[in-house]
Amino acid sequence: MTKVLILTEKPSQSLKLAEAFRYQTHKDHIEILPCNTFENGAIVVNFLGHLLESYQPSDYKETFKEWNIEDLPIFPIDNKFRVKPIPSKLKQFNVVKKWIHNISISEIVTAADPAVEGSLLITEVLYYVGNKKPVKTLWTTSLTKDSIRKAFSNLRDHKALTPLYYQGLARQQSDWTIGINMTRLLSLTFGKMGLTSEIGGNSVYSCGRVQKSLLSIIHRRELEIETFMSQPYWDVECEFDVNGVHYKGTWFKGEETHLFEKKSAEKLAHFCEKGKAIIHTITREDSTVPPPQFYNLTSLQTAVNKLTGLSPSQVLAVAQTLYEQSLISYPRSQPKHVTPEEAGLFPKILLNLSEVSEYKELMPTTPLDLSLNKRYVDESKTDDHYGIILTEERVDLSKLSKNERVVYDLIAKSMIAAHHPCAIYTNTEIITTVASVFSFKTTGKELKEKGWKTVYEKEDKPSEIRGNEILKIDGLQEYQEVNIASIELLEGHTTAPKRFNQANLTSIMENAGAYLSEEEKEGFKNTALAIGTVATRSGIVDQLKEKGYIRIEKNLVYTEIKGKILMTALKNIPYLTSPVTTGKMDLFLSEIGRGIGDFKKNFYRFVKRSEDIKKKCLKKY
């Protein structure tokens, strides 16, 4: 009797898939017993992550073991990239290979994480060992038992996912080429200049494609902070009297609210002391604020960091654990929307939450029907994944760790809030003129209807908006004359741009174009200039820290000496540092994943560019 071989990415996945059926554990695999889904049973084997690694340059040619500028750029012999088993995982590689070729196996099902890296991880092994058996793919973004059984009944043709494999392969090969050549080139040239002695210890300047792009943005902000010169300014604040009730207004002219010459501010204040004050306009209007959208990985990492200080990679690890416990959907997700199919589970999810004491009081009396609400349910804005939501699995909060509860709580409240009405604010603005020449603005904001805000009442801080006192004044009319009670000069100082914190970094990579000038963007839209993918961005941050380019101190990001040297040396070679370069590459890689990109045609353009960069570096340094 032949069986199905299920290949997973890690042990926890193997166990989670097997738990949807009757199973037995063995020394090197899990056996799913015969059932409706698997007539003769199935064998589940995991990969322990990547089992293969790229050749090192010296594997292609022994002389490449020594670093010499003359050898650059380095490319594989005959331009054929090769991989080999990772020595520390050779035992597990042999287990996987044994089962792939086992005569009792008639069909293989790949069941790694449903994304590019998972497709690459298993498919490259199947090619490497020469598999000839038919292959199908399990694709599920939820690990509940029902979802697993349903997914096994609707397996995809593995060939349909070939573009994702080629996307991962293209990224692997291009990053190898750029990293190997640029790391050697810069380390050697900087070494000749004596720059490596300034940093001590590791003199290697690792130069990955995406790392440099993020580092360039961090370094630019560092320079803005270091070179910033604070300037004093003065605000002119006037206190008005309406029948014994006072309100304050601040001078403004167009977009200007500060005066940078004290004498000018004093003259303005002195003039206004004797002037006649009249209410010029009163504007009151309601503004509707909808509930937040569902989280994607980037927004979840940002929110958790603000609450706990956890790094992006730590947040991802916690979310992955919740996913493997079947409590949330697949976390490495870019979309914030879900499909109608997922929306059909919302009533069940809300019912489960209503039975949890921590969420019972937060539930809406009559939950809104989101099935036609395009803010949350829009299949055209999803891909193979969707926004991060809860599954229909019941939760026992007492069994979650502290950090797991934080992440679960954010996702739960986002779903509860989405089923509440919008919040409504009343915004009031009064423009008061003095001597028909100078204008003073007073603003106030009041929460009229809480709506979804009730879900976050305990977390919300009291409003600090100045001018709320005007909301308590009745009977104000336009062109009404008011008295000037006092005028005050308030001195302040311009402040340097804020230092990035860890919560900013993944958001910066998602929207890198916003940190470039229009000229630097070369006509690209911000959406086309993302750095990395939602699944890789936390790793990029970790690499910059590990390689000594940045440090995190009290959650704030600082450029280290090594990072400053690298960015200063490359300031005239924007091809190596600009997010436009990596943005183009990531856009191109995504096209490969959609089956419309030609990797070879574009990749070998880098051969010529590598030679040009080498000549420029040698000439400059």
Side-chain angles (χ1 to χ4, degrees):
M1 292 189 298
T2 58
K3 299 178 183 290
V4 173
L5 174 63
I6 303 168
L7 300 176
T8 71
E9 191 169 336
K10 41 189 175 281
S12 58
Q13 281 182 322
S14 292
L15 182 60
K16 200 67 185 177
L17 296 181
E19 286 176 341
F21 310 94
R22 292 173 55 245
Y23 69 94
Q24 292 178 349
T25 57
H26 299 274
K27 185 176 180 181
D28 64 2
H29 68 281
I30 298 176
E31 180 185 6
I32 295 177
L33 302 177
C35 58
N36 291 336
T37 304
F38 304 104
E39 183 179 353
N40 298 318
I43 302 297
V44 189
V45 178
N46 76 80
F47 271 48
L48 294 178
H50 278 281
L51 294 178
L52 301 177
E53 63 182 3
S54 298
Y55 266 29
Q56 290 299 311
S58 58
D59 292 324
Y60 292 108
K61 191 175 181 181
E62 183 66 23
T63 56
F64 286 161
K65 185 174 291 186
E66 298 295 328
W67 289 27
N68 296 302
I69 289 181
E70 293 73 20
D71 290 333
L72 304 179
I74 292 174
F75 289 94
I77 305 301
D78 301 325
N79 291 326
K80 292 182 179 179
F81 286 85
R82 291 174 172 82
V83 293
K84 60 184 179 180
I86 299 172
S88 63
K89 295 183 179 180
L90 185 58
K91 181 179 179 181
Q92 191 64 21
F93 170 80
N94 288 330
V95 169
V96 171
K97 181 179 178 181
K98 175 192 73 174
W99 279 108
I100 289 175
H101 292 307
N102 191 294
I103 60 173
S104 69
I105 300 299
S106 61
E107 181 181 82
I108 297 172
V109 174
T110 68
D113 273 353
V116 173
E117 202 65 23
S119 298
L120 171 65
L121 180 147
I122 289 185
T123 306
E124 67 177 355
V125 171
L126 293 175
Y127 280 122
Y128 188 84
V129 301
N131 172 62
K132 303 296 183 183
K133 296 174 182 177
V135 183
K136 293 183 179 179
T137 295
L138 178 80
W139 198 269
T140 179
T141 53
S142 172
L143 290 181
T144 64
K145 291 180 180 180
D146 286 344
S147 296
I148 291 170
R149 287 191 284 262
K150 182 178 179 181
F152 270 116
S153 298
N154 295 278
L155 294 172
R156 298 188 182 188
D157 185 346
H158 188 67
K159 291 181 180 179
L161 303 180
T162 299
L164 287 179
Y165 162 69
Y166 283 129
Q167 179 181 348
L169 197 65
R171 193 221 70 229
Q172 183 186 74
Q173 294 178 1
S174 59
D175 285 355
W176 184 95
T177 305
I178 294 171
I180 291 292
N181 286 287
M182 291 308 153
T183 295
R184 292 193 177 199
L185 176 61
L186 296 176
S187 298
L188 290 168
T189 51
F190 291 175
K192 289 183 177 181
M193 297 171 62
L195 293 177
T196 55
S197 62
E198 294 188 33
I199 60 174
N202 182 8
S203 60
V204 174
Y205 281 81
S206 177
C207 198
R209 171 177 63 88
V210 291
Q211 297 168 34
K212 298 187 308 297
S213 299
L214 176 58
L215 181 59
S216 70
I217 295 175
I218 296 172
H219 180 60
R220 181 180 297 193
R221 176 58 58 90
E222 190 82 41
L223 291 177
E224 291 172 350
I225 294 171
E226 290 178 353
T227 59
F228 181 80
M229 299 291 288
S230 181
Q231 288 183 279
Y233 65 81
W234 289 265
D235 291 340
V236 180
E237 187 176 82
C238 193
E239 185 175 6
F240 301 105
D241 179 359
V242 183
N243 299 323
V245 180
H246 294 190
Y247 70 92
K248 294 179 180 180
T250 303
W251 171 86
F252 76 100
K253 183 179 181 181
E255 297 297 320
E256 298 177 22
T257 59
H258 304 317
L259 290 163
F260 289 90
E261 293 184 1
K262 187 175 183 179
K263 288 185 178 179
S264 297
E266 290 173 337
K267 286 181 180 180
L268 189 154
H270 181 69
F271 181 87
C272 288
E273 286 176 347
K274 301 176 182 179
K276 182 180 179 182
I278 294 176
I279 295 177
H280 184 261
T281 58
I282 300 175
T283 305
R284 281 196 176 96
E285 59 182 16
D286 289 344
S287 61
T288 300
V289 181
Q293 289 184 288
F294 297 135
Y295 288 105
N296 66 3
L297 179 57
T298 299
S299 60
L300 182 64
Q301 288 168 323
T302 300
V304 177
N305 176 267
K306 288 180 179 179
L307 290 174
T308 66
L310 290 178
S311 70
S313 59
Q314 289 172 322
V315 177
L316 176 56
V318 174
Q320 180 71 20
T321 300
L322 290 173
Y323 167 65
E324 292 174 4
Q325 294 179 58
S326 307
L327 293 175
I328 68 171
S329 60
Y330 186 66
R332 293 174 174 82
S333 173
Q334 179 66 40
K336 293 184 177 181
H337 295 76
V338 301
T339 69
E341 182 178 4
E342 279 72 51
L345 298 174
F346 287 175
K348 172 64 174 175
I349 294 170
L350 288 186
L351 178 62
N352 288 343
L353 287 174
S354 69
E355 296 172 354
V356 179
S357 59
E358 285 83 350
Y359 300 116
K360 184 176 182 180
E361 298 301 320
L362 305 180
M363 305 301 296
T365 305
T366 305
L368 298 178
D369 179 4
L370 300 184
S371 59
L372 299 178
N373 189 330
K374 291 286 187 179
R375 182 173 175 80
Y376 305 99
V377 185
D378 189 342
E379 191 162 10
S380 69
K381 293 182 179 179
T382 66
D383 44 38
D384 286 317
H385 309 302
Y386 47 83
I388 303 175
I389 59 174
L390 303 183
T391 67
E392 63 273 30
E393 196 86 359
R394 294 176 183 271
V395 67
D396 182 348
L397 294 179
S398 66
K399 294 184 178 180
L400 300 183
S401 70
K402 179 181 177 181
N403 289 333
E404 288 170 351
R405 288 192 67 163
V406 170
V407 174
Y408 185 90
D409 185 68
L410 284 170
I411 299 169
K413 286 180 177 176
S414 74
M415 296 194 69
I416 296 172
H419 288 81
H420 275 273
C422 296
I424 300 177
Y425 287 89
T426 296
N427 302 289
T428 303
E429 179 184 272
I430 297 178
I431 305 299
T432 308
T433 59
V434 177
S436 301
V437 177
F438 298 112
S439 299
F440 292 78
K441 182 185 293 185
T442 309
T443 59
K445 185 176 182 179
E446 183 181 36
L447 184 58
K448 184 178 180 181
E449 294 183 19
K450 292 182 179 180
W452 62 271
K453 284 280 186 177
T454 58
V455 178
Y456 299 97
E457 275 186 316
K458 292 182 179 179
E459 293 95 332
D460 286 346
K461 296 179 180 179
S463 174
E464 296 179 357
I465 300 174
R466 294 176 63 194
N468 269 349
E469 62 268 20
I470 64 172
L471 297 167
K472 303 180 179 67
I473 303 175
D474 296 323
L476 291 182
Q477 297 180 359
E478 293 183 350
Y479 308 115
Q480 177 182 353
E481 187 172 335
V482 297
N483 297 318
I484 298 175
S486 65
I487 296 179
E488 184 179 6
L489 293 187
L490 304 176
E491 183 177 355
H493 291 81
T494 56
T495 57
K498 290 185 178 180
R499 186 173 292 280
F500 294 136
N501 58 44
Q502 284 194 100
N504 300 136
L505 296 182
T506 50
S507 297
I508 289 170
M509 286 186 274
E510 186 174 59
N511 192 31
Y515 298 87
L516 303 177
S517 66
E518 289 301 320
E519 182 180 0
E520 289 174 311
K521 284 190 278 194
E522 300 180 9
F524 282 89
K525 295 181 179 179
N526 287 353
T527 52
L529 295 178
I531 298 173
T533 67
V534 70
T536 63
R537 287 172 188 145
S538 58
I540 295 167
V541 176
D542 288 343
Q543 289 170 9
L544 288 179
K545 290 188 290 186
E546 291 166 2
K547 291 168 181 175
Y549 291 134
I550 65 171
R551 76 177 189 276
I552 307 297
E553 193 174 302
K554 295 182 179 179
N555 206 38
L556 298 179
V557 183
Y558 295 81
T559 310
E560 294 281 48
I561 293 175
K562 187 176 180 180
K564 292 179 180 179
I565 291 174
L566 179 62
M567 288 296 102
T568 301
L570 296 179
K571 65 180 180 181
N572 293 323
I573 312 178
Y575 178 80
L576 291 179
T577 60
S578 173
V580 173
T581 302
T582 194
K584 288 178 180 178
M585 178 69 82
D586 282 325
L587 182 63
F588 175 63
L589 291 173
S590 69
E591 289 176 348
I592 294 175
R594 300 199 304 274
I596 59 176
D598 184 344
F599 175 61
K600 289 186 178 180
K601 179 180 177 182
N602 286 271
F603 176 70
Y604 290 112
R605 294 177 183 173
F606 183 75
V607 178
K608 180 66 169 61
R609 181 59 71 98
S610 296
E611 288 284 7
D612 293 341
I613 292 171
K614 172 183 170 182
K615 291 175 182 177
K616 191 168 185 178
C617 280
L618 292 176
K619 182 178 179 181
K620 180 178 179 182
Y621 302 122

